[in-house]
Amino acid sequence: MHDRVETIRHQFARHGTLDGRIDHAFAAMQRLGFGAMIYDYTPVPVDTNGHIAIPSLMKLRNIANGMQEYWCDRGYFLIAPVQLLAARTSVPFFWNYEPGADPRIRRFMTSRTEPVARYLLDHDMAAGVTVPIHMPHGGYATVTGTLGQGATARDALHNIADFGLLAQVFHEAAYQAYADTMTRSAPVRLTARERQCLRYCAEGCSAKEISRLIGRSVPTVVLHLGTAARKLGARNRAQAVALALRHDLLDEPGMACGRAEPTFAKN
């Protein structure tokens, strides 16, 4: 097993870019009977309300580009039963959106999620395998393969162990390439006030509480947090905090919310 893992790692290492490693993974998945691939990554698995978060990175292979818009911009990712199940498990699983076929995702199906099922059924992505990856530093990813033409549920279940191993090693290589790309990009520069607001946000303070603590209006705090999130390439405050912490961009811890208001110089 160790030799096999090292062989797969070496194969991915031959590709220096993220897209090159994704292409290699997809080619390997096709040999296992999967016709399309979805890979997503987010620095934090849930937002500040405890709901799963929109991914920072989503890559597709052999899937219409429109899925990116539906899953990320329209929020289908947040209600997709497969993602709701993936957030609650750490083992690979087979799923099927055909009516009555899969009780595990069926328990997440409501009238609200019907558009997700309809989209997948209409685009011949009714069934597949998903590997949830919960990273030790809080990051979260899923690697999904949908059944290829002529493949059956039996084929997918037969290959699920091989698919799971491939997905785990692939994500290790993909994340390394993604992190390297982020490191090489222009450094993010946050203002002192943006760092301060994010620090209090990291400690669980609301915009209203941060407003009181720093002596600024709530809209001003929201503006600072939004600007910081855009600079970091984050989709929400939770991702902005996670990315800022990861890159050591925040000020020293402040006072916990609810304590006496500290004094700050006006600027």
Side-chain angles (χ1 to χ4, degrees):
M1 176 63 75
H2 174 74
D3 290 344
R4 187 178 179 193
V5 170
E6 289 305 312
T7 297
I8 299 173
R9 278 183 176 148
H10 178 71
Q11 291 170 345
F12 279 118
R14 292 185 300 178
H15 303 275
T17 66
L18 173 61
D19 281 322
R21 293 176 182 185
I22 292 172
D23 288 339
H24 181 81
F26 178 49
M29 290 177 187
Q30 287 180 300
R31 291 193 289 272
L32 293 175
F34 296 94
M37 173 185 173
I38 305 164
Y39 171 60
D40 56 78
Y41 162 75
T42 181
V44 287
V46 296
D47 63 20
T48 53
N49 296 316
H51 303 136
I52 61 174
I54 294 289
S56 296
L57 174 71
M58 187 174 185
K59 293 286 190 176
L60 311 174
R61 290 297 183 269
N62 202 28
I63 294 175
N65 291 331
M67 186 178 186
Q68 185 100 24
E69 176 191 348
Y70 277 86
W71 255 244
C72 295
D73 298 336
R74 302 194 185 188
Y76 278 29
F77 187 90
L78 304 178
I79 59 172
V82 164
Q83 288 299 332
L84 295 173
L85 176 58
R88 292 163 171 79
T89 186
S90 57
V91 296
F93 60 90
F94 173 78
W95 48 266
N96 192 337
Y97 278 95
E98 295 287 351
D102 191 340
R104 290 172 303 173
I105 65 170
R106 192 61 46 188
R107 64 190 175 102
F108 297 109
M109 294 291 289
T110 65
S111 58
R112 186 169 176 240
T113 67
E114 285 179 4
V116 174
R118 186 163 57 250
Y119 182 97
L120 294 171
L121 289 167
D122 288 347
H123 289 80
D124 297 321
M125 295 186 289
V129 170
T130 292
V131 181
I133 301 171
H134 301 272
M135 301 170 68
H137 56 274
Y140 172 69
T142 60
V143 181
T144 294
T146 65
L147 291 190
Q149 187 173 8
T152 65
R154 183 176 181 180
D155 296 327
L157 291 170
H158 177 75
N159 291 319
I160 196 168
D162 288 337
F163 183 89
L165 176 62
L166 173 66
Q168 292 282 349
V169 181
F170 156 69
H171 169 69
E172 178 186 64
Y175 177 74
Q176 182 183 49
Y178 177 64
D180 289 346
T181 300
M182 296 296 290
T183 300
R184 290 193 299 268
S185 63
V188 175
R189 290 183 174 85
L190 302 178
T191 67
R193 192 64 80 182
E194 289 163 358
R195 293 196 307 272
Q196 186 183 50
C197 289
L198 278 177
R199 168 54 68 186
Y200 280 118
C201 189
E203 294 174 5
C205 299
S206 66
K208 185 176 180 180
E209 289 168 329
I210 298 172
S211 168
R212 178 181 58 80
L213 287 166
I214 70 173
R216 292 291 185 270
S217 69
V218 172
T220 297
V221 170
V222 171
L223 176 63
H224 287 317
L225 291 171
T227 302
R230 286 193 295 274
K231 288 180 179 179
L232 290 161
R235 292 182 177 273
N236 52 49
R237 294 178 191 173
Q239 287 189 7
V241 167
L243 289 169
L245 287 170
R246 186 166 304 165
H247 294 291
D248 197 25
L249 296 174
L250 298 190
D251 295 330
E252 290 300 314
M255 301 177 68
C257 301
R259 296 186 182 178
E261 180 179 335
T263 301
F264 295 99
K266 300 293 184 180
N267 56 19

